[in-house]
Every structure is written in structure tokens, then in C-alpha cells.
Amino acid sequence: MSGANSSSLTPTFFILNGVPGLEAAHIWISLPFCFMYIIAVLGNGGLIYLIGHEEALHRPMYYFLALLSLTDVTLCTTTVPNMLCIFWFNLKEIDFNACLAQMFFVHMLTGMESGVLMLMALDRYVAIRCPLRYSTILTSPVIVKAGLATFLRGVMLVMPFTFLTKRLPYCRGNFIPHTYCDHMSVAKVSCGNFKVNAIYGLLVALLIGGFDIFCISVSYTMILRAVVSLSSTDARQKAFSTCTSHVCAIVITYVPALFTIFTHRFGGQNIPHHAHIIIANLYLMLPSTLNPIVYGVKTKQIQEGLIKLFFREKGILAMK
């Protein structure tokens, strides 16, 4: 086997094939992903900078948004540069351990993204249900502990992926029909029994995604009840408007994920493999690209903060 250690059946590297069947169109496929990546880096980086420097945005809601932006930009950075190297320079080799590391970060960060969206839903519930005690309930230590707990949850649940994948024998070759090292894509290259990998992967999806969706659903059910009980129409509209950006972020994140899961489980034979690969990449890229745009368009405080920051920087440059 090319690139393999014959005694341990562990390859020294894998070959990422990009989008199988569309090799001739790799350059054209790369262009929208490159454009989306630039928007994701600039948009999320700009949000983090704005929230860090604008006093009016030093509130729990925006701290969680900064954490979401940091997670999003890190997530797309773990895959897109490597993908562009495949598309542009035909650099398809990836070290075995580097592949496992990429696999770990992709799944850990997607779990982290889901957890932050759940925390943001709880934040909106506290803001609407207990507005007078909002700042005393969601203090800075509470926000830090919540973010750290979400991070540790992802690390502890995803870490076994690397050990389960590393133990498998790879005697079928070292070619992965994907643009990045996804857990099951790597496991399916093995000639061993990867049923444990499949079962544990489904269990992690339920423990992270299922739990977070349940908490988000409960939070918004309680939010709806609290909003409906408000006597003023203006108060109801204002309460709903504070949630619209977050609802859009939830739809952007979970709809591609659910579509990917259901097509793999129920419609896999009717959809070409290259379509699965492109959808899997969009699943990682869409939230990172669209979240800063949605929050920039839908959130008045961010728009005002951006205008203030622009004129402040312009004034500093004029003084120089």
C-alpha cells in the first residue's frame, strides 16, 4: 500500500481526492469557497474586534456572539486552506496524524458551535423573562464558565474519535474521497470493523446536537409564552426583534446539518457522491459566512457600533 507501514497497516499519509468525479472543475469549485472564506474571516474577525472595542457591546449577548464568531472562523480555517491547496496546487497528501488532528478539530468545533447557539438561546430567554436581573444572572464569570463547559464537552466527547480511528487497520489504500478528514470518511478507508466508530459517532451527534436542539426548543417555547403574555404590542415586537438574528443563525447552522444527515441515511443512493462532498463543505462554510452578515444587518447596536468605530478611526487618521 502506498505510503503505508506494512507491519502495523497504519499509513504514513492519506490522499484527499477533493471532489471525486469533478476533478476538471476543481478550480471553478474553489472560487465560491475562497470567496466565502474571505467573507468569513473578515466578517467574524470584524465582529470580534468591534465587540472587544465598543463599550456599548460589552453585554452577555455580544460576548456569546464573539465566542460564536471565534468558533466559526477557527472551524472554516481548519478545512478551507487545505481544500484550496488541493484545488489549486494538487497538494493532496496529508500526514496521518495531521489528518486525525483535523478530524478532531472539525468535529469538536462543530459541537462547540452548536453549544454556543444553545447558550445564546438561554441568554435570550433570561433577557426576555428576567430583564431587570439579566446582568446579575449572566455575569462575566458565568459566561466564562458556560463557554468553558461547552468547550470541554466537545473535547471530551470528540477525543475518542481519534483513538477509535487510529486503532483501525488500513489495508485498502490511503485514498479518502473528500476535501477534509471527516470521521466516517477516514474510518471507511479501513479494512477493519468500524461499527464502533459509526455507533459512537451517532451517539455523539445525539448527545451534542440532540441535547442542544432540545434546549433551544425549550428556551424558545418559554420565550414565546413570555412574549405572548406581554400586554404592549410594541414590547412584543421589541422582544421578538431581539431573537430574529439568533433564529436565523440556528436555521443557517442546523438546516444544512440535518440535510446532510438525512441524505446520508435515507437518500444516499439517489444523490451523487460529489454532491455529498459539496454539501458537507457548505455545512461548515455557510454559518461562518452568513452569521456576521445576519447579525450586521439585523442588529441595530452592531450597526451603530460599526459606524462609531469607523468615524473614530477616521478621526484618528485625520489627526495624524
Side-chain angles (χ1 to χ4, degrees):
M1 180 182 67
S2 175
N5 183 324
S6 58
S7 60
S8 64
L9 296 178
T10 299
T12 55
F13 60 84
F14 284 118
I15 303 294
L16 292 168
N17 275 352
V19 185
L22 295 179
E23 287 83 0
H26 272 179
I27 292 293
W28 297 107
I29 295 171
S30 72
L31 297 179
F33 283 109
C34 179
F35 182 64
M36 291 170 71
Y37 181 61
I38 292 171
I39 293 174
V41 171
L42 293 177
N44 288 290
L47 267 181
I48 294 168
Y49 180 83
L50 181 64
I51 292 168
H53 285 77
E54 192 57 46
E55 191 74 29
L57 300 179
H58 290 178
R59 295 171 55 194
M61 171 185 174
Y62 300 109
Y63 290 145
F64 285 129
L65 176 57
L67 182 57
L68 180 66
S69 293
L70 179 62
T71 304
D72 281 342
V73 76
T74 307
L75 175 58
C76 61
T77 300
T78 61
T79 58
V80 176
N82 188 59
M83 182 204 313
L84 295 179
C85 285
I86 295 170
F87 290 160
W88 292 347
F89 310 113
N90 205 33
L91 298 176
K92 298 183 177 183
E93 290 187 10
I94 182 169
D95 181 77
F96 179 75
N97 291 321
C99 183
L100 294 184
Q102 185 185 56
M103 179 185 71
F104 167 77
F105 281 110
V106 165
H107 291 287
M108 187 273 288
L109 289 166
T110 52
M112 180 80 179
E113 182 179 52
S114 176
V116 174
L117 287 173
M118 182 263 293
L119 294 176
M120 293 174 80
L122 296 175
D123 165 78
R124 290 299 81 209
Y125 170 70
V126 174
I128 291 171
R129 187 71 179 82
C130 313
L132 298 178
R133 295 191 295 135
Y134 175 63
S135 58
T136 58
I137 294 173
L138 290 175
T139 60
S140 295
V142 169
I143 294 169
V144 171
K145 288 175 183 176
L148 184 60
T150 305
F151 171 75
L152 291 176
R153 180 191 68 167
V155 170
M156 290 187 291
L157 288 176
V158 173
M159 183 64 75
F161 282 170
T162 57
F163 300 113
L164 290 172
T165 307
K166 195 168 187 176
R167 71 179 176 84
L168 294 170
Y170 295 89
C171 50
R172 289 180 181 168
N174 58 350
F175 292 89
I176 300 175
H178 213 303
T179 57
Y180 62 88
C181 293
D182 173 71
H183 174 226
M184 287 311 299
S185 296
V186 176
K188 286 178 180 178
V189 177
S190 166
C191 56
N193 187 348
F194 54 84
K195 185 181 288 185
V196 175
N197 294 65
I199 293 171
Y200 185 72
L202 185 59
L203 179 63
V204 170
L206 290 173
L207 287 174
I208 294 180
F211 176 78
D212 292 344
I213 290 173
F214 173 77
C215 290
I216 290 170
S217 301
V218 171
S219 295
Y220 271 96
T221 300
M222 298 169 76
I223 286 171
L224 284 172
R225 290 179 59 184
V227 171
V228 169
S229 66
L230 295 173
S231 57
S232 168
T233 303
D234 290 339
R236 285 197 293 269
Q237 290 178 346
K238 186 177 179 181
F240 275 126
S241 67
T242 64
C243 299
T244 53
S245 300
H246 183 245
V247 171
C248 290
I250 291 170
V251 171
I252 291 166
T253 301
Y254 285 113
V255 168
L258 293 173
F259 182 79
T260 302
I261 291 169
F262 282 117
T263 52
H264 271 295
R265 296 293 187 277
F266 306 110
Q269 277 130 36
N270 301 324
I271 299 177
H273 185 65
H274 62 260
H276 281 297
I277 303 303
I278 292 173
I279 292 167
N281 282 283
L282 287 174
Y283 159 58
L284 297 183
M285 287 299 301
L286 277 178
S288 304
T289 305
L290 296 181
N291 281 344
I293 296 173
V294 167
Y295 275 93
V297 170
K298 293 281 186 180
T299 310
K300 184 180 178 182
Q301 291 85 345
I302 290 178
Q303 294 172 3
E304 292 174 348
L306 188 61
I307 292 169
K308 285 172 62 179
L309 185 65
F310 173 76
F311 281 108
R312 187 188 305 152
E313 294 295 330
K314 191 175 180 180
I316 291 172
L317 290 173
M319 289 175 64
K320 290 181 179 180

